[in-house]
């Protein structure tokens, strides 16, 4: 071998040396234990986690669902600033039907007899005026109540404010009843009808389970302990389960979630597929720094007064919006995911010898002997009758 071609020689060795595994038996309990233990961990992972916990042998599909709701209950209110009044579902459910959610009116600020006319603004620093010069005609403040006419009028005997063109009399929304007007709403019930399908598996199911008949449905009420299959929920009860007090939440309103979990294992050996209900308040009720709490909106009812003038009753409605949230994934045995996931999991077995080798070459007393024996560079020497074994690279 010529030294001048050493570089070329190295390259040729690098490319064309054929490496073939040779079996080296290490008769050591400790190395053997590390090897078997690592193997055991891999098998445990494949069987315990991949198969049992993750169910990686299954194909999955996510749920498609439809929800309809029907609230029932009556209330009677008799408070000082409103006529005694009977309420049924057409009065307190707004709008009459919604998708995946329903709103139950619980508290109200009613401003009857509004007509299109002119009146003095509600007093606050930007509306109080001394004379007409303070009020710009046509000025339109989105936070105000109307378009200014340019006049400064008496709001009360002591305060003057700018006059606006608006629906008058103006709503005064500071005197919200401290106790919810429709306190009786806590005893209303809602029937939730939820159909789900897993299209991939051609699976259809309702939350009105097959064993429920109509006479049972007329009397049952959901209770996690005694009647977990009944799809009729008492509002107070489901709020209480989420740790909320109905009367507290009813004063300023809020958003509440009825969550239906349809996660199912559809393999024949698994159990039946039933919905699981959980309840949670969705809006923020953090008592610290809770600016603008609750949920409210305004709507109006229009009519013609006897003298033909268009008149409306403005209602600022506070209440609880119930959102029905349906989720779930179903799994069923499939041959393709089984092969793919099993192959991926078992490929970890090829890491086992690496761990055992590392242990053998770094932690054992005889590691120098082992590392000398681990890689053998075979050199054929035609001059001698036997072959000799060297560990240096092509220098023999
Ligand atoms: C709701 O019903 C319960 C039991 O029937 C009753 O004690 C309670 O007073 C009712 N709530 C309201 C606000 O009427």
């Amino acid at each position: 071998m010529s030294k001048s071609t050493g570089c070329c020689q190295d390259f040729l060795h690098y490319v064309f040396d054929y490496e073939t595994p040779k079996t080296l038996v290490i008769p050591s309990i400790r190395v053997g234990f590390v090897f078997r233990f690592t193997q055991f961990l891999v098998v445990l992972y494949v069987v315990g986690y991949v198969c049992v916990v993750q169910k990686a042998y299954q194909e999955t599909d996510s749920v498609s669902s439809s929800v309809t709701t029907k609230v029932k209950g009556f209330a009677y209110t008799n408070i000082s600033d409103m006529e005694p009044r009977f309420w049924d579902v057409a009065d307190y459910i707004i709008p009459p039907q919604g998708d995946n959610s329903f709103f139950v009116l619980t508290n109200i600020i009613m401003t009857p007899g509004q007509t299109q006319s002119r009146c003095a603004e509600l007093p606050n620093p930007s509306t109080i005026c001394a004379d007409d010069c303070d009020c710009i005609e046509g000025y339109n403040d989105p936070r105000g109540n109307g378009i200014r006419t340019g006049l400064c009028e008496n709001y009360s005997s002591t305060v003057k404010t700018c006059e606006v063109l608006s629906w008058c009399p103006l709503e005064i929304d500071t005197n919200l009843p401290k106790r919810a007007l429709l306190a009786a709403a806590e005893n209303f019930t809602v029937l939730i009808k939820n159909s789900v399908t897993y299209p991939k598996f051609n699976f259809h199911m309702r939350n009105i389970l097959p064993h429920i008949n109509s006479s049972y449905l007329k009397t049952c009420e959901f209770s996690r302990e005694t009647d977990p299959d009944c799809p009729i929920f008492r509002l107070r009860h489901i709020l209480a389960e989420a740790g909320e007090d109905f009367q507290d939440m009813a004063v300023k309103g809020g958003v509440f979630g009825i969550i239906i979990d349809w996660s199912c294992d559809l393999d024949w050996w698994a159990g039946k597929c039933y919905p699981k209900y959980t309840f949670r308040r969705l809006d923020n009720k953090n008592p610290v720094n809770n600016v603008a709490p609750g949920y409210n909106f305004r709507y109006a009812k229009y009519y013609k007064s006897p003298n033909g003038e268009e008149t409306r009753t403005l209602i600022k409605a506070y209440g609880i919006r119930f959102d029905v949230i349906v989720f779930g994934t179903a799994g069923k045995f499939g041959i393709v995911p089984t092969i793919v996931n099993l192959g991926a999991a078992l490929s970890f077995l090829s890491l086992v010898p690496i761990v055992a080798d590392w242990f053998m070459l770094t932690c054992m007393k005889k590691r120098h002997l082992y590392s000398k024996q681990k890689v053998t560079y075979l050199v054929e020497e035609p001059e001698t009758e036997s072959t000799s074994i060297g560990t240096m690279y092509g220098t023999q």
Side-chain angles (χ1 to χ4, degrees):
M1 284 172 207
S2 153
K3 291 258 184 273
S4 63
T5 59
C7 171
C8 191
Q9 195 85 30
D10 283 355
F11 177 73
L12 286 177
H13 274 295
Y14 179 73
V15 175
F16 288 109
D17 279 0
Y18 172 60
E19 292 172 14
T20 178
K22 186 181 90 169
T23 306
L24 179 65
V25 179
I26 308 284
S28 155
I29 284 262
R30 292 174 65 196
V31 177
F33 176 77
V34 167
F35 176 68
R36 288 291 172 212
F37 182 70
T38 319
Q39 230 173 18
F40 170 75
L41 287 184
V42 170
V43 172
L44 197 70
Y45 162 76
V46 171
V47 173
Y49 186 72
V50 176
C51 292
V52 176
V53 178
Q54 290 288 83
K55 298 202 166 125
Y57 57 83
Q58 289 186 329
E59 285 183 78
T60 57
D61 192 12
S62 44
V63 72
S64 321
S65 125
S66 79
V67 173
T68 59
T69 59
K70 187 175 279 182
V71 181
K72 286 191 172 171
F74 307 110
Y76 180 77
T77 58
N78 191 1
I79 56 167
S80 52
D81 44 357
M82 203 188 290
E83 302 273 283
R85 203 180 155 99
F86 166 81
W87 301 76
D88 71 4
V89 63
D91 300 316
Y92 60 72
I93 296 293
I94 310 157
Q97 70 98 29
D99 49 340
N100 291 354
S101 83
F102 59 97
F103 173 84
V104 179
L105 180 81
T106 54
N107 214 354
I108 205 170
I109 293 172
M110 210 186 249
T111 314
Q114 286 189 326
T115 55
Q116 297 245 333
S117 50
R118 294 151 185 264
C119 48
E121 260 284 19
L122 304 178
N124 70 44
S126 67
T127 58
I128 289 173
C129 55
D131 57 41
D132 293 353
C133 307
D134 295 335
C135 301
I136 304 156
E137 187 180 351
Y139 177 73
N140 168 358
D141 179 4
R143 287 152 201 260
N145 286 293
I147 299 169
R148 288 194 184 165
T149 57
L151 300 177
C152 187
E153 293 288 332
N154 286 331
Y155 177 79
S156 62
S157 53
T158 50
V159 185
K160 289 183 94 173
T161 60
C162 293
E163 190 192 59
V164 286
L165 174 65
S166 182
W167 285 96
C168 297
L170 298 177
E171 176 191 83
I172 300 166
D173 68 355
T174 46
N175 53 359
L176 180 70
K178 288 284 174 290
R179 178 172 149 75
L181 176 71
L182 268 83
E186 66 172 25
N187 283 332
F188 294 173
T189 60
V190 57
L191 164 66
I192 295 178
K193 290 196 272 184
N194 176 211
S195 307
V196 296
T197 141
Y198 287 108
K200 202 173 186 179
F201 307 127
N202 194 21
F203 174 89
H204 306 276
M205 188 85 179
R206 306 169 72 193
N207 69 333
I208 301 177
L209 300 172
H211 63 77
I212 292 180
N213 60 29
S214 59
S215 62
Y216 170 74
L217 204 59
K218 281 201 175 76
T219 54
C220 78
E221 187 184 319
F222 176 87
S223 148
R224 199 166 291 285
E225 293 79 33
T226 59
D227 209 347
D229 293 341
C230 180
I232 297 177
F233 304 87
R234 194 168 291 265
L235 301 187
R236 177 192 52 204
H237 184 145
I238 59 178
L239 263 74
E241 214 175 89
E244 298 293 332
D245 179 54
F246 188 94
Q247 297 305 338
D248 250 17
M249 193 165 170
V251 175
K252 294 214 158 167
V255 183
F256 193 82
I258 299 173
I259 298 149
I260 310 181
D261 177 5
W262 280 95
S263 298
C264 281
D265 186 341
L266 299 181
D267 285 320
W268 54 266
W269 59 81
K272 288 253 186 311
C273 185
Y274 288 147
K276 288 176 273 306
Y277 302 98
T278 45
F279 310 103
R280 189 178 313 146
R281 183 165 183 171
L282 299 178
D283 67 329
N284 180 14
K285 70 145 191 175
N286 182 3
V288 182
N289 189 24
N290 198 357
V291 181
Y295 177 51
N296 67 73
F297 58 90
R298 288 184 177 83
Y299 69 100
K301 292 188 240 179
Y302 297 83
Y303 56 94
K304 282 247 157 56
S305 64
N307 61 13
E309 192 177 15
E310 187 182 14
T311 313
R312 75 175 192 184
T313 302
L314 178 67
I315 292 165
K316 184 174 182 185
Y318 292 79
I320 305 174
R321 198 182 73 206
F322 291 85
D323 291 352
V324 184
I325 300 164
V326 181
F327 75 99
T329 324
K332 197 172 191 175
F333 176 81
I335 195 73
V336 173
T338 306
I339 291 170
V340 169
N341 286 303
L342 211 61
L346 290 179
S347 68
F348 279 112
L349 280 178
S350 65
L351 295 178
V352 173
I354 297 177
V355 174
D357 278 0
W358 170 82
F359 181 78
M360 176 181 89
L361 296 177
T362 55
C363 304
M364 297 292 293
K365 273 208 202 77
K366 294 189 197 154
R367 56 180 180 269
H368 298 298
L369 170 68
Y370 296 151
S371 69
K372 220 158 91 197
Q373 293 292 329
K374 179 107 173 72
V375 179
T376 307
Y377 195 85
L378 187 63
V379 179
E380 291 175 42
E381 281 183 298
E383 302 93 54
T384 58
E385 50 291 328
S386 66
T387 57
S388 89
I389 290 163
T391 50
M392 292 299 289
Y393 200 91
T395 53
Q396 214 76 10

